[in-house]
Amino acid sequence: MKLGLNRLAIFRHKKLSLALIVVALALLAAKPVWRALAAGGDLDTSFSGHGRYTVPLIFSNTGYARNVPDVRIQTDPDDPQVEKVIVPYSNKLPFACLNGSDAYDFLVTRLTPSGAKDSTFGFNGVMAVSFAGLPGVVGGKGYVSALELQSNGKILLAGQIEACGGYLVGLARLTFDGAMDTTFGNGGMIVLGGEAEVSDMAVSNGKILLVGRKQEWDGSSGTPWISTIWRFNADGTPDTMFSSDGSQVLSVWPDTTTNQGGAEGFKSVAVQPDGKIAVLNSAGSGYRLRRFTSTGAVDNTLQVNVAAGESGNTIRAGSSSIRVVGAKEQQGVKYGAVFSRNIANGSVDTTYGGGTGVALSAQPSEWSEMALVPFSFPSKYVVVGWNSYTGWGVTPDKAVITRLSGTGVLDTGFGTNGSTETVGFAHPNVGISPHSQYLSVRIGLGGKIVTGGRAGAFTTYAAPTEFGVVARHLGN
């Protein structure tokens, strides 16, 4: 009898073990489904209901909200665990020389952690900055191209003012909650006279840096563009420690024979840990790196000239390297690329990209910006841009996020083989977008990835076919 009970126990044990094995196999089989619901790179459905926020139109009958060129994460000073998203954009209006009082130049909104418009910011969640009435501004409209936050949470916006016959550079500062900061410039605004454009901005040690280009009369047959950097004090006055008027110019493409320097123009800026200022120029196929000292002198120890096949959109500077985010052409096809250069002299960083100094996307792409994943050991970076499989206008671009190791290797533990694509942004006036591109990225709490960009058809300015988007993705 005892032997029979033992045999029964053994039988039951085997039966239980078999059941556990079946359950374990079922869980393993279900793992891809579970990962699909909560994998790194997936849209965070706790943000705006489905992970995506579409910038609303301000003038719904006459224009549309253009792209979101940049995003920043603003931490609540009373609760560091509360992060809000600052979103700049522009309201595109039909081309006309408008009365300045009729055109909103720069627009900015703030989103709550849940992805809703924050009604405590500006006027019911939106602040419209108009430069109308300032010296030199006659009508026109503006386009935001750069955003920064100062250490006290104040918001800086920079871009172009299309002033009926030319472009001016506008710089504005808002308070933490979106009111005009009247302690800055002229009622919170500064206008740089003369034909000029700005593409990027940085804040370091209380100083404000703008980069772009301006036109300088050469005394002959034309007015060529020249690459320009401006530096301001915290109150908006020109920093005369940088130069007599706070700006420096540098001809980066002196070999350009057409359009009298049409390739000129700094595209991105990064302040190194030692205070030196690295700048990127990229026009057509090729990019160039230059550097200024903290007092505005040209530092000739960094002169990188890439003639063809490589292009850059943004620049980042670390303790030992400078990285250019852009694209590399191979056999007529562009691939997203991060180029790493030694910070001392701009030579190729052979510790990166398997000794090549270049990290490449797996699919035809272009990358636009990069952000460090905080508290990642070893370090990881997220780059954003868009996948373009067959060329513009043939098949839709797909907004893409890719994660790389600190040495430029695709992180296959993220998304699918290191990347994730996002399509299907929707707008009530436009419908489902055929194209989408991410232009900017920041990393928030828990490694969540906040992106800004655009979606739509991108075919015309005459109808609302392009709109700004913000998305939040899971980081782990």
Side-chain angles (χ1 to χ4, degrees):
M1 183 68 179
K2 188 173 182 179
L3 181 62
L5 288 174
N6 287 342
R7 286 177 177 175
L8 180 61
I10 292 170
F11 173 76
R12 287 176 175 172
H13 176 72
K14 288 181 177 179
K15 190 174 180 180
L16 179 61
S17 299
L18 181 61
L20 290 173
I21 291 171
V22 170
V23 171
L25 290 172
L27 289 173
L28 287 172
K31 186 177 180 181
V33 176
W34 174 82
R35 281 182 59 83
L37 294 175
D42 284 354
L43 286 165
D44 179 4
T45 56
S46 69
F47 183 79
S48 195
H50 44 71
R52 293 174 279 202
Y53 176 85
T54 299
V55 175
L57 303 181
I58 301 299
F59 303 99
S60 59
N61 296 323
T62 58
Y64 58 96
R66 300 183 73 225
N67 63 51
V68 174
D70 220 336
V71 289
R72 289 293 184 275
I73 296 173
Q74 188 187 56
T75 302
D76 190 324
D78 298 323
D79 187 353
Q81 297 302 307
V82 175
E83 292 184 334
K84 298 182 178 182
V85 182
I86 304 298
V87 182
Y89 60 103
S90 307
N91 198 77
K92 183 66 181 179
L93 298 173
F95 281 102
C97 189
L98 303 172
N99 182 300
S101 61
D102 295 333
Y104 289 116
D105 290 322
F106 297 169
L107 293 163
V108 60
T109 189
R110 186 168 71 186
L111 304 180
T112 66
S114 64
K117 190 168 64 173
D118 183 358
S119 61
T120 67
F121 182 85
F123 295 93
N124 195 30
V126 178
M127 184 60 185
V129 180
S130 176
F131 292 84
L134 268 65
V137 180
V138 182
K141 48 193 175 289
Y143 311 104
V144 178
S145 54
L147 164 72
E148 271 295 352
L149 298 184
Q150 294 183 297
S151 58
N152 56 7
K154 290 186 176 182
I155 302 162
L156 291 164
L157 301 167
Q160 283 71 249
I161 307 168
E162 190 178 320
C164 297
Y167 282 99
L168 306 173
V169 167
L171 175 62
R173 188 166 74 187
L174 309 181
T175 65
F176 183 91
D177 286 320
M180 295 303 304
D181 182 2
T182 56
T183 67
F184 182 82
N186 187 344
M189 295 169 285
I190 294 171
V191 174
L192 302 180
E195 191 82 358
E197 298 175 356
V198 64
S199 55
D200 197 16
M201 175 167 47
V203 174
S204 178
N205 294 324
K207 306 288 185 179
I208 304 164
L209 286 159
L210 300 181
V211 294
R213 64 179 187 169
K214 68 179 180 180
Q215 286 188 324
E216 287 198 340
W217 173 248
D218 64 356
S220 58
S221 59
T223 308
W225 292 98
I226 190 164
S227 300
T228 308
I229 180 169
W230 297 268
R231 194 165 77 180
F232 300 88
N233 296 310
D235 62 358
T237 56
D239 182 6
T240 54
M241 296 295 292
F242 195 67
S243 73
S244 60
D245 64 353
S247 70
Q248 294 282 9
V249 298
L250 181 64
S251 181
V252 182
W253 295 82
D255 52 339
T256 300
T257 57
T258 60
N259 196 27
Q260 291 194 316
E264 293 282 354
F266 292 134
K267 198 169 186 178
S268 185
V269 60
V271 180
Q272 299 177 182
D274 62 2
K276 291 184 178 181
I277 304 159
V279 287
L280 166 71
N281 177 286
S282 184
S285 183
Y287 73 86
R288 299 189 174 189
L289 295 177
R290 296 292 186 269
R291 186 161 55 201
F292 294 89
T293 68
S294 60
T295 56
V298 176
D299 178 5
N300 289 317
T301 62
L302 181 68
Q303 293 194 40
V304 175
N305 300 320
V306 178
E310 300 177 359
S311 59
N313 290 314
T314 54
I315 183 176
R316 293 290 181 264
S319 58
S320 62
S321 64
I322 295 173
R323 290 180 181 166
V324 176
V325 183
K328 181 179 178 66
E329 190 173 310
Q330 294 186 333
Q331 298 180 338
V333 179
K334 275 187 175 182
Y335 290 84
V338 176
F339 308 99
S340 188
R341 298 275 180 167
N342 289 312
I343 203 166
N345 55 16
S347 60
V348 173
D349 177 8
T350 56
T351 68
Y352 192 79
T356 66
V358 183
L360 291 176
S361 65
Q363 303 290 345
S365 306
E366 182 164 352
W367 288 341
S368 55
E369 194 173 35
M370 177 171 67
L372 172 67
V373 179
F375 309 114
S376 56
F377 304 101
S379 61
K380 295 181 180 180
Y381 294 83
V382 166
V383 290
V384 298
W386 56 94
N387 283 348
S388 184
Y389 294 100
T390 56
W392 180 258
V394 181
T395 58
D397 285 351
K398 298 179 180 181
V400 66
I401 300 174
T402 301
R403 196 162 71 187
L404 303 169
S405 72
T407 56
V409 178
L410 289 172
D411 180 3
T412 56
F414 179 84
T416 302
N417 296 322
S419 294
T420 181
E421 294 179 341
T422 303
V423 295
F425 288 96
H427 194 285
N429 299 73
V430 181
I432 302 296
S433 64
H435 295 281
S436 57
Q437 299 177 339
Y438 285 153
L439 305 175
S440 55
V441 61
R442 286 297 181 271
I443 310 296
L445 290 172
K448 291 187 176 182
I449 304 163
V450 179
T451 61
R454 61 179 183 172
F458 312 149
T459 56
T460 176
Y461 287 133
T465 57
E466 176 187 353
F467 54 93
V469 296
V470 179
R472 192 169 72 193
H473 293 254
L474 301 175
N476 300 312

